[in-house]
Structure formats: structure tokens, C-alpha cells
Amino acid sequence: MNTSAAAASAPNPTAALRMLAYSSLGLVMFFLPVEIAGKTTILFDHAATWLATQQRPLAIAFVLALMAWGAASPFISGRWRASTTATVFSALKVLGLVLALMYLTGTGPAVLFQKDMLPFLFDKLALTVGLIVPLGAVALAFLVGFGLLELVGVLMQPVMRPIWRTPGHSAIDAVASFVGSYSVGLLITNRVYLEGKYTAREAAIIATGFSTVSAAFMIIVAKTLNLMGAWNFYFWSTFVIAFAVTAITAWIPPISRMDNSGGVSDTLPVGRSRWQAAWDAGMHQARSAPSLWRVLSENLRDGIAMASAVVPTILAVGLIGLLLARYTPVFDLLGLLLVPFVWIAGLAEPMLTAKALASGLAEMFLPAIQLKGADPVVRYVAAVVSVSSVLFFSGSIPCVLATRIPLSLRQMVAVWFVRTVLSLLMAAAIGHFALAQGWIA
């Protein structure tokens, strides 16, 4: 046994207690749904909901401060000059702040105040993300700061690497996204990428493949499309389809062509079993991690920085996308590209269905709104594709662009199209079978 392995495996009750106690707390906060006031979700989501509803003036003031800082910081630091994309998104952050002030003061054209425009974007997305990301960042300290990430990473390596081309610890990202939200998943991904534990390609696979909307939002989609009677079937089939699609997109362009240098080694230490190596890795991190208060403060700082970049962009990009979807033929034209696949899938009204699914690029909830009166298979496909496509302009795309993950807008749109086509075909096949079996109606 080499010296480092021997040191890692030496008994250290303090480090073991630190890893087990803090990691257990992180698992509870991220993965244990709790019912409070009739709503079942994870703890810090409950905290965000309480702030947004019971302390609304305070929550709005906090989110406005985040947006003001997010809008000002690129110009203070000079980052707005870095590239054309940086310039555009710096301007969009300013626009987002202006839109928030317009909404809160009731100033502006009536079209902006329709319930699925600024009220939806601010109350359901911007306010929620602005609260969840900083709270999630604090909870994240317990989940990834004291050895659990490293322990799970070694154990899950034989599963994650050959199928999804990602290291084992990406399994935590995947589950956190499904239970929490894409903003939380991307917060984890960005943090781990900056620590050098993901390559650019691995981070891109996770950001575009695992960072879906939360299970809680899936309930809203299922209710809208009248699928709550088949909730378990819908949830688990969507989970399988989303991860199956990711297993394909990880091996094809544009993601397959991204830089894959760096990251973590898959090689086990000489003379150590996988479990022993996993325990060693976790213990090493538990011993070497800074104090809890330092980790908490660093994570809170990162969460506030990410939220300040994301929230104003969500308002601006989301509103532009929703206006384009409603008043222009942009997404109708995009839908034409999906018509052949909808026809192959045997779905009713191919043109209408294709256009509705294409509108999911603007906001993932739009297909559910437009297809809520369709036949059962189309409704099921819309529910699955809304989640499995992952990327949309009113939420996840601005979140990705706020990270350091080197994904361009063009790459994300390409990934969205591939994911939408694959999800559509898989969901249609399963939907037809489920209808024949009487699982959906």
C-alpha cells in the first residue's frame, strides 16, 4: 500500500464523523421530500416558498437587489466588452431589471401583464430562482463539501462512465436536478467544474442532459395535461427517457467534439478495492475541507453571484421568447423541422403538435398549455418532451450561460433539437403502448 492510501485508510474518527454527519444533512436537505402545508418538496424549496409567499416584500427586495447587482456588475468590471455574447447578455440583464420594475410598478403595455407573461416570469421563475439558488448553495456545502461527492464518485464510476461519459460523482448532479431543479443542478455542476473535477465535455453533458425541471414542476405539467391519474408511470418513464436521450447525445456532436482534457482519474489505487478507494477519497476530502463556516460563506457567495447573473436574464430572455412564440412565426418555422418526426411517431395533427413542441424552446411549459386538449398520446408526449428537452430560453439556457461551462448558444439550440427529436420518438412509442394497455386515458 502506498503512503497516501495508508494515510487515507488510517482510522480517523473526527473525519469520519464530519463526513457522515454533514453529508447526511446534505442528503436530507436535497433528497428527502417533506410535506408541509399540503406541499411535498425538499426542505430548502419549502424555505424559498415560505419567503416568496409569507415574506413577499422582503423576498422581492432581495431579488431586486440581486438583479440590480447582476445588471451593474458587467459594466463595473468591464466584462461586457469581453465578447459579443457578453455584450448582448449584459444588455439583457439591464432589460431584465427594467422589466421587473415595470411589473412591480404596473407600468407598461397591457400585453406584458397577461398572466402568462411578466406575472408568470417574475412570480414563478425569477422570484423562485432568485431565492432557491442562494438557499441551495448553502445546502450544497453539506452535500459536496465534506466527502460524499468523492465517495459516490468512485462507487458510481463503472455505471456513469461507460454510459454517459461522465465521472461517478455526476450521479449526485443527476438526482439533485430531478428532485430539486435545474438551477440547483447547474449550481453543483459549475462548482465541480471550477474545481477541476469535470472536463468541459463532462460539464456540458451534465448541464444539457441532467439539469431538468424539478419533480415538483413535473406535477404542474401533469396536472395541466390531465396525467395525474398516471403520475407514477409518467414520472418514471420521463426519468428513463431523459437519461436514455442523454446517453445518446453524449456520444454525438456537438457535445462529443468538446474538450475532454483534465477531470478526475478513473484508476483505482493499487491494492484497494472500489469500496476502500471510495472511502479513502471521502475521508481525504473530509479531513482537508475548510471549516464549515468558511465552506458555507464561499457557497453562499457563489450562489448569490450565480443568481444575480441568472435572474434578470430569465426575465428578459423569457419575455422575448414568449412574445416570439405568441406573435411571430419563428417557432412555427422551427416546428416545421419537427413535423416529419411527429408524422413518423404517428401523432395526431402533426403540424399543430410540432409547432407546440417547438415552442418549448421558449418556455418548457408552453407545449402543455397548447396541447392540454389533445388526445392522450399527444398529451403524454408533450409532458415528456417538455422535461426531457432540458433546454429552454426562459430558464435553463440563461442559467447555463451564467456558469463558466463553455457552451455556446448555438450548441445549446442544436442539443435542444436533437433531444426534442429523440424524446419525441421514444415518448410516442411508449405512449402508444401505454394507451393500448390502459395506463393513460
Side-chain angles (χ1 to χ4, degrees):
M1 184 186 299
N2 59 39
T3 304
S4 61
S9 59
N12 190 323
T14 301
L17 180 62
R18 195 181 197 209
M19 179 175 70
L20 294 174
Y22 290 158
S23 298
S24 296
L25 186 56
L27 289 170
V28 167
M29 287 191 286
F30 269 87
F31 300 127
L32 181 64
V34 177
E35 182 176 348
I36 299 176
K39 178 183 178 181
T40 301
T41 186
I42 52 179
L43 287 172
F44 64 83
D45 189 25
H46 278 302
T49 300
W50 180 81
L51 286 170
T53 56
Q54 303 302 314
Q55 303 293 327
R56 184 173 170 82
L58 178 63
I60 289 175
F62 175 72
V63 171
L64 275 180
L66 281 179
M67 296 177 73
W69 172 244
S73 60
F75 299 96
I76 294 173
S77 66
R79 289 196 306 272
W80 70 277
R81 300 189 190 95
S83 65
T84 302
T85 300
T87 302
V88 170
F89 274 88
S90 296
L92 287 171
K93 290 172 187 175
V94 175
L95 175 60
L97 176 61
V98 172
L99 289 171
L101 293 172
M102 288 172 62
Y103 171 62
L104 293 172
T105 59
T107 305
V111 64
L112 299 184
F113 293 88
Q114 295 177 24
K115 65 179 182 179
D116 57 348
M117 291 292 177
L118 280 182
F120 168 75
L121 289 170
F122 187 86
D123 293 326
K124 301 299 183 183
L125 293 178
L127 192 61
T128 301
V129 171
L131 296 172
I132 282 181
V133 170
L135 290 171
V138 174
L140 182 63
F142 298 96
L143 191 67
V144 303
F146 298 97
L148 179 65
L149 186 76
E150 289 72 17
L151 186 147
V152 171
V154 177
L155 292 178
M156 291 298 294
Q157 200 70 56
V159 176
M160 302 301 295
R161 180 66 71 187
I163 300 176
W164 290 284
R165 308 184 83 180
T166 58
H169 51 259
S170 63
I172 289 181
D173 267 11
V175 179
S177 297
F178 244 82
V179 178
S181 71
Y182 60 84
S183 57
V184 172
L186 288 168
L187 184 68
I188 297 174
T189 306
N190 189 53
R191 180 65 179 270
V192 177
Y193 173 64
L194 293 177
E195 291 175 354
K197 296 176 182 176
Y198 288 146
T199 66
R201 187 177 73 189
E202 290 166 354
I205 291 169
I206 296 159
T208 62
F210 295 149
S211 298
T212 62
V213 296
S214 67
F217 204 85
M218 287 176 68
I219 294 175
I220 299 174
V221 172
K223 284 182 178 178
T224 302
L225 290 165
N226 195 26
L227 291 171
M228 283 306 295
W231 166 251
N232 282 325
F233 167 71
Y234 165 57
F235 178 85
W236 291 111
S237 60
T238 302
F239 184 93
V240 170
I241 290 170
F243 280 52
V245 170
T246 301
I248 297 172
T249 56
W251 295 86
I252 61 177
I255 290 178
S256 64
R257 295 175 179 169
M258 295 184 67
D259 179 37
N260 197 44
S261 57
V264 295
S265 173
D266 295 345
T267 306
L268 293 178
V270 177
R272 307 295 286 171
S273 68
R274 183 162 297 278
W275 169 251
Q276 289 172 326
W279 181 258
D280 293 347
M283 288 288 286
H284 174 74
Q285 176 62 25
R287 278 198 307 270
S288 59
S291 68
L292 175 61
W293 292 112
R294 180 177 169 187
V295 175
L296 289 173
S297 62
E298 290 177 353
N299 275 37
L300 180 60
R301 180 196 63 203
D302 292 347
I304 289 175
M306 182 175 181
S308 68
V310 168
V311 176
T313 312
I314 284 177
L315 266 186
V317 176
L319 181 64
I320 292 170
L322 292 176
L323 291 172
L324 288 175
R326 175 170 294 185
Y327 297 108
T328 75
V330 169
F331 292 102
D332 290 349
L333 295 174
L334 188 58
L336 292 176
L337 299 176
L338 295 177
V339 169
F341 302 101
V342 174
W343 180 80
I344 291 170
L347 300 180
E349 299 185 76
M351 185 65 71
L352 175 64
T353 301
K355 290 179 178 179
L357 294 177
S359 69
L361 180 59
E363 158 55 41
M364 60 80 56
F365 198 56
L366 286 179
I369 296 173
Q370 297 178 62
L371 296 173
K372 60 184 178 181
D375 70 50
V377 177
V378 172
R379 285 188 282 112
Y380 169 74
V381 170
V384 172
V385 172
S386 295
V387 176
S388 183
S389 294
V390 174
L391 297 163
F392 55 100
F393 276 108
S394 69
S396 59
I397 288 177
C399 279
V400 175
L401 292 172
T403 70
R404 299 287 293 278
I405 301 167
L407 274 165
S408 68
L409 197 58
R410 181 181 298 178
Q411 287 174 316
M412 283 191 278
V413 172
V415 172
W416 169 85
F417 183 77
V418 173
R419 291 193 66 89
T420 298
V421 169
L422 293 173
S423 301
L424 159 64
L425 296 175
M426 291 184 191
I430 294 174
H432 287 303
F433 179 78
L435 182 64
Q437 297 298 314
W439 297 346
I440 57 175

